[in-house]
Amino acid sequence: LSNISERVPGHLQTNNRAELLGIIRALEVCPFPDLPLEIRTDSLYSIQCTRLFLLFIMLDPHSFAALGQSARYHQILAHLAA
């Protein structure tokens, strides 16, 4: 695969949102969806989202609002959890 470079859709243009969308795109374009995929990032926010916030979404989607600022990215994280 080649590198993908694209604009983050929507009005909210942040590095955290771009990191999360990068992970989503990597999952979407992976040619081997049945095999384990290792995604490496230095984004502490993205690592925390995939480890902690996704757990909250899977256990109780309504409790996600209690996480504060990260609720701004609820749609992206919900898409990542799908």
Side-chain angles (χ1 to χ4, degrees), residues 60-81:
D60 183 10
H62 301 292
S63 70
F64 189 77
L67 294 175
Q69 170 128 2
S70 297
R72 296 184 340 177
Y73 303 108
H74 181 266
Q75 289 180 331
I76 294 172
L77 294 172
H79 182 72
L80 187 57

Side-chain angles (χ1 to χ4, degrees), residues 11-49:
H11 295 292
L12 189 59
Q13 303 286 312
T14 66
N15 63 320
N16 290 336
R17 192 163 182 256
E19 289 277 355
L20 292 173
L21 287 171
I23 292 171
I24 290 171
R25 289 293 290 142
L27 293 169
E28 289 175 344
V29 301
C30 178
F32 307 106
D34 297 331
L35 296 177
L37 177 65
E38 181 178 327
I39 297 175
R40 296 180 182 200
T41 180
D42 63 352
S43 169
L44 181 60
Y45 182 81
S46 295
I47 293 167
Q48 289 175 339
C49 282

